[in-house]
């Protein structure tokens, strides 16, 4: 158990719909990352938040958005869903401190199926 | 991030040491070598990381060549539960991880 929790575990929805994925980081971790894993693309970084502020952006579509709340949990919002958005979505957290490099701890993921 | 190259797949007999190689010939001086693994569709799991020196923890050992252009992850006594995709990542730290295709390690009973 990494200490990172994600809900829901599975989500089945239809094209054109909007969903919200939730992530609670490990206690004390200020940084949250979102990754997408699809069969043809592998694990891809989407976006990073640090203490409520967006810190880095990857290959995140304009239809997707995220935020990190004051209690440090994060939500990933996916809208106007397409079949190709079907994937595993992972959240990871890390603590940024004086150490030069810190490991990321991943949650169990949310499997999104768009029909 | 520096590009890493790993063999697509490897087999290892249960109980033997699994040695997973990784080439990172363009790694910069302040990039670390990180190893993660992903068991089936679970979230990636951190294994170990190092900068210059060899490292060991309860899961594995990491051997980095003196020129830092390659490294080897060693699982000393592989078990069936070590069957997974192993990712070698050159990483500055505190930023996004760039996953390649990794090595699919199969532990054979």
């Amino acid at each position: 158990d990494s200490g990172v929790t994600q809900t829901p575990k599975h989500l089945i929805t239809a094209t054109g719909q909007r969903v919200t994925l939730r992530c609670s980081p490990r206690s004390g971790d200020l940084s949250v990352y979102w990754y997408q894993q699809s069969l043809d693309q592998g694990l891809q970084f989407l976006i990073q938040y640090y203490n409520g502020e967006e810190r880095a952006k990857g290959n995140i579509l304009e239809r997707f958005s995220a935020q990190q709340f004051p209690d440090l949990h994060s939500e990933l919002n996916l809208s106007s869903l397409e079949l190709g958005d079907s994937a595993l979505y992972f959240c990871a957290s890390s603590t940024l401190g004086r150490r030069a490099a810190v490991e990321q701890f991943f949650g169990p993921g949310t499997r999104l199926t768009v029909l | 991030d520096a590009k890493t190259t790993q063999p697509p797949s490897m087999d290892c007999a249960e109980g033997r040491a699994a040695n997973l190689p990784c080439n990172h010939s363009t790694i910069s001086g302040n990039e670390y070598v990180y190893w993660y693994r992903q068991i089936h569709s679970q979230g990636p799991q951190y294994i170990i990381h190092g900068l210059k020196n060899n490292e060991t923890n309860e899961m594995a050992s990491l051997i980095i060549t003196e020129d830092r252009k390659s490294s080897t992850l060693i699982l000393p006594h592989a078990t069936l539960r070590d069957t997974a995709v192993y990712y070698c990542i050159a990483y500055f730290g505190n930023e996004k991880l760039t996953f390649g295709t990794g090595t699919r390690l199969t532990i054979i009973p």
Side-chain angles (χ1 to χ4, degrees), chain A residues 18-65:
Chain A
R18 172 189 169 95
V19 296
T20 297
L21 312 185
R22 182 187 169 106
C23 168
S24 292
R26 290 188 323 154
S27 176
D29 283 357
L30 299 178
S31 202
V32 169
Y33 310 76
W34 286 97
Y35 293 84
Q36 178 193 55
Q37 185 173 33
S38 57
L39 278 173
D40 56 346
Q41 294 287 334
L43 268 160
Q44 302 256 320
F45 167 74
L46 294 178
I47 197 164
Q48 177 195 3
Y49 277 81
Y50 174 70
N51 203 19
E53 301 285 329
E54 182 183 303
R55 187 180 174 105
K57 229 171 184 176
N59 300 322
I60 187 166
L61 300 172
E62 283 192 16
R63 300 183 285 108
F64 295 2
S65 65

Side-chain angles (χ1 to χ4, degrees), chain B residues 19 22 24 75 93:
Chain B
N19 296 279
C22 179
H24 31 78
L75 307 178

Side-chain angles (χ1 to χ4, degrees), chain B residues 4-97:
Chain B
T4 61
T5 305
Q6 300 177 251
S9 64
M10 291 181 63
D11 293 338
C12 179
E14 189 179 16
R16 304 297 293 267
N19 296 279
L20 290 89
C22 179
N23 286 322
H24 31 78
S25 57
T26 62
I27 196 169
S28 64
N30 52 354
E31 275 185 300
Y32 290 77
V33 178
Y34 269 71
W35 283 84
Y36 281 78
R37 72 180 182 184
Q38 187 174 26
I39 298 172
H40 194 45
S41 294
Q42 298 177 22
Q45 178 188 24
Y46 164 79
I47 301 173
I48 198 167
H49 74 276
L51 185 63
K52 296 179 189 176
N53 300 320
N54 298 336
E55 302 286 346
T56 295
N57 63 19
E58 65 279 3
M59 286 183 70
S61 295
L62 174 61
I63 308 297
I64 303 174
T65 58
E66 197 168 336
D67 63 8
R68 300 208 333 118
K69 292 186 177 181
S70 66
S71 61
T72 301
L73 177 75
I74 301 172
L75 307 178
H77 305 287
T79 71
L80 297 178
R81 288 181 295 181
D82 292 322
T83 292
V85 178
Y86 287 75
Y87 297 97
C88 168
I89 302 170
Y91 179 52
F92 286 105
N94 297 341
E95 59 180 38
K96 67 179 174 71
L97 288 164

